[in-house]
Amino acid sequence: MNLLSLQAVLTAALLSVAAGISAKPLVVCTEASPEGFDIVQYTAATTADASSETLFNRLVDFKPGTTDIQPGLAERWDISPDGLTYTFHLRPGVKFQTTDYFKPSREFNADDVLWSFERQFDPKHPWHDKTSVGFPYFEAMGFKDLLKRIDKVDDMTVSFTLTRPESPFLRDMAMGFASIYSAEYGDQLLKAGKTADINSKPIGTGPFILTRYNKDAQVRYKANPDYYKGKPPSDVLVFAITTDSNVRLQKLKADECQIALYPKPDDIESIQADPNLRVDEMEALMTSYVAMNTTHQYLGDVRVRQAINMAFDKQAYIKALFGAGKATPGINPYPPTLLGFNSAIKDLPYDPAKARSLIKAAGVPDGQVLTLFVRNGGGPTNPNPLLGAQMLQADLAKVGIKLDIRVLEWGELLKRAKRGEHDMVFAGWAGDNGDPDNFLGPNLSCDATISGENYARWCNKAFNEAITEARARTDPAERAALYEQAQQVFHDEQPWISLAHPKLFTAVSKNVEGYHISPLTNNNFATTRAK
């Protein structure tokens, strides 16, 4: 073999090795299965990570690791002087994903924007009734009343006309429910009578293409070679669904995954001590709570809800589940870092004797049984669900209420809670856009009782009017005052046990680069790779 031939063989071998290295999957240990991939039907963060962050894009983006907005599929936008019309100028050259079930014949344009929003907005749209759960974010945030019309100005320009000014509108447009779908693919599925495929065979413009999903086991993606921001550095992305946080950590240490989401707070110090691992952390926009179904007997009485709050030793709960310095006690329905947090409101005291007196005055029989739904596994807002449920059970038993704890798989819990089958349910919320409205509208508005996202089934006129008016104001001080009013109503009515505002932690192998932890708790791996 001559020198040139030998050099060619060696070069080919090196290239083969390099290709093998670059093809190493980025494996992320996640805490639950996605509910599906048609993100407009869902609100769970695990579903958003698996769909809107991975498969889709929006007109507006959040800058990585922040709540600041930047252009996305829209290069720029104009706002009319009266604040009622937003005109988006679309980015040219963006391609939809090509798969074995769909090959786009054109690039992204205004028709796709109209399809994506009119599907949710217009009852006459052929896709409007093609979901059994409706469009929970769109509905709970009042978009059906906010939008007056959506117009195609030309192939690369779309305008949204609102019925009123809406301060968080651009931030809302960066949320998962505003993801842009392919109108061409939608037409193909409708014509073939396969509309359900949009939830299992998604098509977007995002950084990754779905290749396989095994429920409760694995979601597998490949890099989108046509991604408009450039092909992601990881050729293969795998979500290894691992409900137990202890097992997630074990897999991370064994390099079976390179990122482990939501480690237990009491494991943080040991992870930081491992020379092969690191912990990314931040003060995130999160709240954990127990919703009390106010449409059910006894829980419709504010005295009972106050009693349940006063019977629960919240400080002991926070210490047991989060440890020192890893969560702040919950009082209001959103964290103190957001606009209009009402710091004048003080939490109800831990007072079992007063709680028992209130329960007796409300006519609740001694030993009354209430059902409590709690998820299996654990996540950032509830790292040890069963322990928390047992602590609440023990405290309420002291005041004459028995809890029947029902441990449910995450997707099953969401489905049954939205139907209102629970008396009480452990829940949590991660902010989607850095605005207080995102905590109050989707979780506590009257519209959200219709969609089922309001697990307390609590519809209060004064509260609803305050948050609706706050959305329409542009002056931050005026908005803050209205949110303070709304929180006072919430405090007086106590539809939740507000538990905690936890810190966000992610355990990461030190060979990972390009990962950005987000205060919105979403996980986007378009720039992430394992070296």
Side-chain angles (χ1 to χ4, degrees), residues 40 117 120-121 135-144 147 177:
V40 299
F117 283 93
Q120 302 179 73
F121 174 55
F135 306 100
Y137 258 129
F138 190 90
E139 294 160 3
M141 295 175 66
F143 258 61
K144 68 182 188 305
L147 293 181
F177 82 96

Side-chain angles (χ1 to χ4, degrees), residues 302-325:
V302 67
R303 293 172 296 179
V304 177
R305 301 196 298 271
Q306 289 171 337
I308 288 172
N309 268 282
M310 297 174 78
F312 188 42
D313 189 346
K314 188 185 300 184
Q315 293 296 334
Y317 168 84
I318 292 173
K319 182 179 179 180
L321 268 75
F322 298 99

Side-chain angles (χ1 to χ4, degrees), residues 207 223-227 229-235 526:
N224 179 4
D226 298 321
Y227 186 44
K229 293 184 181 181
K231 177 182 170 293
S234 295
D235 291 336

Side-chain angles (χ1 to χ4, degrees), residues 104-133:
S105 66
R106 60 166 178 81
E107 295 177 343
F108 156 74
N109 66 27
D111 291 331
D112 304 305
V113 179
L114 262 65
W115 191 95
S116 301
F117 283 93
E118 288 184 341
R119 173 194 178 194
Q120 302 179 73
F121 174 55
D122 183 3
K124 297 180 181 178
H125 191 277
W127 275 81
H128 186 74
D129 62 352
K130 300 301 185 292
T131 162
S132 60
V133 298

